[in-house]
Amino acid sequence: MKAEAFIIHLGRAEARKVQVDRLAVTLPLPVNIVDAVDGLALRDDEIEAAYRRYLYSPRYPFVLRKAEIGCFLSHRKAWRAIVDGGLDAGLIVEDDVEPIEGSFGPALALAIRTIRAGDYIRFPYRSHTDSGAEVAKAGEMTLVEPMHVGLGMQMQLVGRQAAAELLKMTETFDRPVDTTIQMRWLVKIRILAARPPAVRQIGHLLGGTIVQKKAKPLGEVLSREIKRAWYRLALRRRNAKQRTGT
């Protein structure tokens, strides 16, 4: 199998450069650095070309921040690199991820043995997400097809056909990239997940987020939580209809 790794890194996030260098040495694949799209530097016309509100149902209740748009476009760059490079698969890694020694190697090996061209294999960092039916197993590591796909884009092994499909259906988008992946009726790929976690998120050790968030009034916080809960429920109902064909 022809596979390479793609580390997404924003140049101005200098505190994360050390981790990028560590990943470049430790990942057992040829490594490419993807220059992340800086959402704060996007022009209005660039945003308008990619982002449209309310494209799909259920409607995503929040306006995307520029950083979220930049993140989405960065992952599209990685998907494009997989397709243009003629790879069988690409391991996409964000720059605040640390492989767990003793777990990551077996998880990646199992994923590489299992992946098909149209597969998208997640490496979640939380143990309570992405539960589902077992697809493959090696020792303590399993790959499952999750009933509900978890959030987060820390690391994924993406087949070339899956990358092409993702590029086609995200020429414009209306919600964050991880939330888009959750739309199983829209994303025509097989999604698997590695369990137990084989990576950890260490952004808090690398200076935290590069996005500055202003404190919000309590009323706004409560309103957002209600909208988020409504959206998650609507998403699960829509996915359930897709599974049952109703």
Side-chain angles (χ1 to χ4, degrees):
M1 169 179 286
K2 185 180 179 183
E4 298 181 5
F6 298 89
I7 303 172
I8 297 177
H9 174 62
L10 183 62
R12 63 181 172 85
E14 296 180 359
R16 298 188 175 192
K17 183 61 168 62
V18 173
Q19 182 61 14
V20 172
D21 293 340
R22 281 173 50 84
L23 288 168
V25 171
T26 58
L27 292 175
L29 294 170
V31 169
N32 306 273
I33 308 302
V34 176
D35 187 15
V37 176
D38 189 345
L40 299 182
L42 287 172
R43 302 188 308 270
D44 289 345
D45 63 307
E46 292 174 317
I47 293 174
E48 291 170 1
Y51 172 54
R52 299 279 193 280
R53 287 203 77 185
Y54 303 144
L55 281 175
Y56 303 110
S57 177
R59 288 186 170 187
Y60 188 69
F62 309 116
V63 177
L64 290 198
R65 292 177 287 116
K66 287 186 174 181
E68 292 174 309
I69 296 172
C71 177
F72 206 131
L73 294 174
S74 298
H75 280 272
R76 280 183 50 84
K77 285 181 71 172
W79 300 334
R80 174 60 64 189
I82 293 170
V83 174
D84 290 350
L87 302 177
D88 295 306
L91 183 69
I92 302 174
V93 187
E94 294 191 337
D95 62 2
D96 61 349
V97 168
E98 178 72 14
I100 298 175
E101 186 175 355
S103 298
F104 174 68
L108 180 60
L110 179 60
I112 288 175
R113 289 198 302 271
T114 304
I115 193 168
R116 304 171 185 167
D119 286 354
Y120 176 104
I121 302 180
R122 287 170 40 79
F123 293 80
Y125 71 97
R126 297 184 178 99
S127 60
H128 62 277
T129 66
D130 298 88
S131 299
E134 182 180 302
V135 173
K137 183 177 179 64
E140 298 300 316
M141 188 58 59
T142 62
L143 293 179
V144 303
E145 188 163 7
M147 180 74 69
H148 303 293
V149 177
L151 294 173
M153 299 293 291
Q154 285 71 35
M155 181 184 290
Q156 315 90 46
L157 184 67
V158 184
R160 180 170 58 196
Q161 183 180 325
E165 177 66 21
L166 287 165
L167 284 169
K168 182 175 68 175
M169 55 79 60
T170 62
E171 290 182 1
T172 54
F173 49 84
D174 68 349
R175 62 200 72 196
V177 59
D178 56 350
T179 309
T180 299
I181 298 295
Q182 291 182 314
M183 300 166 68
R184 303 300 296 276
W185 68 94
L186 181 69
V187 184
K188 304 299 184 181
I189 58 178
R190 185 174 73 153
I191 300 177
L192 304 178
R195 292 174 61 88
V199 300
R200 61 172 64 93
Q201 189 179 42
I202 60 169
H204 61 290
L205 302 176
L206 304 171
T209 178
I210 60 171
V211 181
Q212 299 300 316
K213 298 181 180 179
K214 295 181 179 179
K216 294 181 173 62
L218 178 59
E220 184 177 345
V221 171
L222 292 175
S223 175
R224 287 183 66 86
E225 288 304 312
I226 291 171
K227 290 178 180 178
R228 184 174 287 110
W230 170 87
Y231 173 74
R232 288 175 177 169
L233 178 59
L235 183 67
R236 291 200 171 201
R237 286 176 173 171
R238 183 65 178 82
N239 277 328
K241 287 183 179 180
Q242 169 69 16
R243 289 193 300 273
T244 60
T246 59

